[in-house]
Amino acid sequence: MNLNLNTIIRFRRSQFRIGGIVLVALLFFGGPSHGQQLATYIEEAINNNPNIQAVEKQHAISLEKISETNTLPDTEFSGGYMVGTEMPMMQQGEFSVMQMLPWFGTISARGDYASALADADFLEIEIAKRKIAMILSQSYYRLYQIAKKQDVLDSNIQLLQVYERMALTSVEVGQASAVSVLRLQMRQNDLMERKLVLEQDYAAELTAFNKIMNRNEIEPIVIVDSLIMPDTDFEIDFANLSLHPELRKFEELNKVVSQADALNKKESAPGFGVGMEYMLYNEASNMLMPMVTLSIPIFNKKYKSIAKQNQLQHEALDIQKQASENTLIAELQTAVRNRNAARISFETQEKNLIQAQNANEILLKNYETGTIDFREVLDVQELQLNFQINRIEAIGAYFNYVSIIDYFTKN
């Protein structure tokens, strides 16, 4: 035969090991190189993503509203002057100034209410950052899967080219038919088509990744050469969900309602004002008269209604918090289940690949005796390709669900 069997087997084994070189590991769960690279992308996305910038602007507005509360009502000025015939003892004109003042503590209550709103808005920033980190990580892992699938297809195409040369040699010596060569060529065409489709998938996902970072959609990124499965999975403490910003937000909103209730009580108290009036007379002495005004909310149904609304708002927020907590627990449990299922799938594909490799070596040894069946070779090769693709998808899914778990449990 023209081809050395040992050379073919060595090539097959190197093809089997694609994706197995351990260079880097996942952020939070592996070596520093990949973690630092992904962390850099996440930091850039957090700094540049327009969704986060919009939430930060809203928080800045909330902070500015605190200053807005430290003001008094507008000072009122009024005046009048009689134009025409002057009459004895007649008032010729008057000028007055009046300043209304809220009840004691009302201004500080308004400030506390505005501060509580700002604190609630600040949690929205943390939620937005967590979501961007999760979404960007998931896009990164999709890019990894696509890139690794392309590598696997390239390796399998090269292997099929080796098989094609083997088949041509067998045809020359009458040990195989030309149909075997055509089958191998059609298989190469099929894999090439899949590779071209993956190139389109990669371009689309790269655009999505870059847009999350708010930069040019065709800017290239560095993809890790290999992700490694951790030896063990970290334990999940569901009690940590109570610290999640989506739940802490309800606590802050309850504080907002409490401050709104305190402000309502202050505003239901009487208001008063102080002022001065200066009166001009034609023949009498001018007069300067201090003034005091008092406003009493005799019809206070408005404030009673607001107090009742605040009480109902507290109850509604408690119910919403419980519903949100139930949802978070269910989503976290689903993510943990899917992460564990991805590990099981990965380990199964590893076993299948070893067995497929052994079957392939048995078939190749038959080549020396001239009894090789290229149809069986193609069947085994297709199985092995599927196992390789499934392994890539399994490890990609594993880290995808880890990013979801991290969204829920990161402190």
Side-chain angles (χ1 to χ4, degrees), residues 163-184:
Y163 287 159
E164 182 183 353
R165 291 195 294 271
M166 292 171 58
L168 287 171
T169 302
S170 298
V171 170
E172 291 175 359
V173 298
Q175 294 177 346
S177 68
V179 174
S180 299
V181 177
L182 293 175
R183 287 180 183 275
L184 290 163

Short mmCIF file of all heavy atoms in Angstrom, two decimals, residues 163-184:
data_model
loop_
_atom_site.label_atom_id
_atom_site.label_comp_id
_atom_site.label_asym_id
_atom_site.label_seq_id
_atom_site.Cartn_x
_atom_site.Cartn_y
_atom_site.Cartn_z
N TYR A 163 -8.66 9.32 3.71
CA TYR A 163 -9.43 8.13 3.36
C TYR A 163 -9.63 8.05 1.83
O TYR A 163 -9.62 6.96 1.24
CB TYR A 163 -10.79 8.15 4.05
CG TYR A 163 -10.75 7.88 5.54
CD1 TYR A 163 -11.79 8.28 6.37
CD2 TYR A 163 -9.68 7.21 6.12
CE1 TYR A 163 -11.78 8.02 7.72
CE2 TYR A 163 -9.65 6.95 7.47
CZ TYR A 163 -10.70 7.37 8.27
OH TYR A 163 -10.66 7.11 9.61
N GLU A 164 -9.82 9.22 1.23
CA GLU A 164 -10.02 9.23 -0.22
C GLU A 164 -8.77 8.70 -0.94
O GLU A 164 -8.89 7.92 -1.90
CB GLU A 164 -10.34 10.64 -0.68
CG GLU A 164 -10.62 10.75 -2.18
CD GLU A 164 -10.87 12.18 -2.62
OE1 GLU A 164 -10.95 13.07 -1.74
OE2 GLU A 164 -10.96 12.40 -3.85
N ARG A 165 -7.61 9.11 -0.47
CA ARG A 165 -6.38 8.60 -1.09
C ARG A 165 -6.25 7.10 -0.86
O ARG A 165 -5.79 6.35 -1.73
CB ARG A 165 -5.17 9.36 -0.53
CG ARG A 165 -5.12 10.83 -0.97
CD ARG A 165 -3.75 11.45 -0.70
NE ARG A 165 -3.47 11.54 0.72
CZ ARG A 165 -3.79 12.60 1.47
NH1 ARG A 165 -4.43 13.63 0.92
NH2 ARG A 165 -3.46 12.63 2.74
N MET A 166 -6.65 6.64 0.34
CA MET A 166 -6.64 5.21 0.61
C MET A 166 -7.58 4.48 -0.35
O MET A 166 -7.25 3.42 -0.90
CB MET A 166 -7.06 4.94 2.06
CG MET A 166 -6.06 5.41 3.11
SD MET A 166 -6.74 5.30 4.80
CE MET A 166 -7.16 3.57 4.89
N ALA A 167 -8.78 5.07 -0.55
CA ALA A 167 -9.75 4.43 -1.43
C ALA A 167 -9.26 4.39 -2.87
O ALA A 167 -9.44 3.39 -3.59
CB ALA A 167 -11.08 5.17 -1.33
N LEU A 168 -8.62 5.45 -3.31
CA LEU A 168 -8.07 5.48 -4.67
C LEU A 168 -7.01 4.40 -4.85
O LEU A 168 -6.95 3.72 -5.89
CB LEU A 168 -7.48 6.87 -4.96
CG LEU A 168 -8.50 8.00 -5.18
CD1 LEU A 168 -7.78 9.34 -5.24
CD2 LEU A 168 -9.31 7.76 -6.45
N THR A 169 -6.18 4.23 -3.81
CA THR A 169 -5.17 3.18 -3.87
C THR A 169 -5.83 1.81 -3.94
O THR A 169 -5.40 0.93 -4.71
CB THR A 169 -4.24 3.26 -2.64
OG1 THR A 169 -3.64 4.55 -2.60
CG2 THR A 169 -3.18 2.19 -2.70
N SER A 170 -6.90 1.63 -3.14
CA SER A 170 -7.60 0.34 -3.15
C SER A 170 -8.28 0.09 -4.49
O SER A 170 -8.36 -1.06 -4.96
CB SER A 170 -8.64 0.31 -2.02
OG SER A 170 -8.02 0.42 -0.76
N VAL A 171 -8.79 1.16 -5.12
CA VAL A 171 -9.42 1.00 -6.43
C VAL A 171 -8.39 0.56 -7.47
O VAL A 171 -8.68 -0.29 -8.32
CB VAL A 171 -10.10 2.33 -6.86
CG1 VAL A 171 -10.54 2.25 -8.32
CG2 VAL A 171 -11.30 2.62 -5.97
N GLU A 172 -7.20 1.10 -7.37
CA GLU A 172 -6.14 0.76 -8.32
C GLU A 172 -5.77 -0.71 -8.26
O GLU A 172 -5.44 -1.32 -9.29
CB GLU A 172 -4.91 1.62 -8.07
CG GLU A 172 -5.11 3.10 -8.41
CD GLU A 172 -3.90 3.93 -8.04
OE1 GLU A 172 -2.92 3.33 -7.51
OE2 GLU A 172 -3.91 5.15 -8.27
N VAL A 173 -5.83 -1.28 -7.04
CA VAL A 173 -5.44 -2.70 -6.90
C VAL A 173 -6.65 -3.61 -6.89
O VAL A 173 -6.56 -4.80 -6.60
CB VAL A 173 -4.62 -2.90 -5.61
CG1 VAL A 173 -3.33 -2.10 -5.67
CG2 VAL A 173 -5.43 -2.52 -4.37
N GLY A 174 -7.84 -3.03 -7.17
CA GLY A 174 -9.04 -3.85 -7.28
C GLY A 174 -9.63 -4.27 -5.97
O GLY A 174 -10.40 -5.24 -5.93
N GLN A 175 -9.33 -3.56 -4.86
CA GLN A 175 -9.87 -3.94 -3.55
C GLN A 175 -11.03 -3.05 -3.13
O GLN A 175 -11.58 -3.22 -2.05
CB GLN A 175 -8.76 -3.87 -2.50
CG GLN A 175 -7.65 -4.91 -2.73
CD GLN A 175 -6.53 -4.78 -1.71
OE1 GLN A 175 -6.46 -3.78 -1.02
NE2 GLN A 175 -5.69 -5.78 -1.64
N ALA A 176 -11.39 -2.09 -3.94
CA ALA A 176 -12.53 -1.21 -3.65
C ALA A 176 -13.09 -0.69 -4.95
O ALA A 176 -12.41 -0.69 -5.98
CB ALA A 176 -12.10 -0.05 -2.74
N SER A 177 -14.35 -0.24 -4.90
CA SER A 177 -14.98 0.29 -6.11
C SER A 177 -14.90 1.82 -6.10
O SER A 177 -14.65 2.45 -5.07
CB SER A 177 -16.44 -0.14 -6.17
OG SER A 177 -17.19 0.49 -5.15
N ALA A 178 -15.12 2.38 -7.28
CA ALA A 178 -15.09 3.84 -7.40
C ALA A 178 -16.20 4.50 -6.58
O ALA A 178 -16.12 5.68 -6.23
CB ALA A 178 -15.22 4.24 -8.86
N VAL A 179 -17.25 3.72 -6.25
CA VAL A 179 -18.35 4.26 -5.44
C VAL A 179 -17.84 4.72 -4.07
O VAL A 179 -18.29 5.73 -3.53
CB VAL A 179 -19.46 3.21 -5.29
CG1 VAL A 179 -20.54 3.72 -4.33
CG2 VAL A 179 -20.07 2.87 -6.64
N SER A 180 -16.87 3.97 -3.52
CA SER A 180 -16.30 4.34 -2.22
C SER A 180 -15.65 5.71 -2.30
O SER A 180 -15.78 6.54 -1.38
CB SER A 180 -15.28 3.29 -1.77
OG SER A 180 -15.88 2.03 -1.63
N VAL A 181 -14.97 5.97 -3.40
CA VAL A 181 -14.33 7.28 -3.57
C VAL A 181 -15.39 8.37 -3.66
O VAL A 181 -15.26 9.44 -3.04
CB VAL A 181 -13.45 7.28 -4.83
CG1 VAL A 181 -12.84 8.67 -5.05
CG2 VAL A 181 -12.37 6.23 -4.73
N LEU A 182 -16.46 8.10 -4.40
CA LEU A 182 -17.52 9.09 -4.54
C LEU A 182 -18.22 9.37 -3.21
O LEU A 182 -18.57 10.52 -2.90
CB LEU A 182 -18.54 8.62 -5.58
CG LEU A 182 -18.03 8.54 -7.02
CD1 LEU A 182 -19.09 7.94 -7.93
CD2 LEU A 182 -17.62 9.92 -7.52
N ARG A 183 -18.42 8.31 -2.42
CA ARG A 183 -19.02 8.49 -1.10
C ARG A 183 -18.16 9.41 -0.23
O ARG A 183 -18.67 10.30 0.45
CB ARG A 183 -19.19 7.14 -0.40
CG ARG A 183 -20.30 6.26 -0.95
CD ARG A 183 -20.36 4.96 -0.16
NE ARG A 183 -21.36 4.06 -0.69
CZ ARG A 183 -22.65 4.10 -0.36
NH1 ARG A 183 -23.08 4.99 0.52
NH2 ARG A 183 -23.50 3.24 -0.90
N LEU A 184 -16.88 9.19 -0.26
CA LEU A 184 -15.96 10.01 0.53
C LEU A 184 -15.96 11.45 0.04
O LEU A 184 -15.91 12.40 0.84
CB LEU A 184 -14.55 9.43 0.46
CG LEU A 184 -14.36 8.11 1.22
CD1 LEU A 184 -13.08 7.41 0.76
CD2 LEU A 184 -14.34 8.35 2.72
#
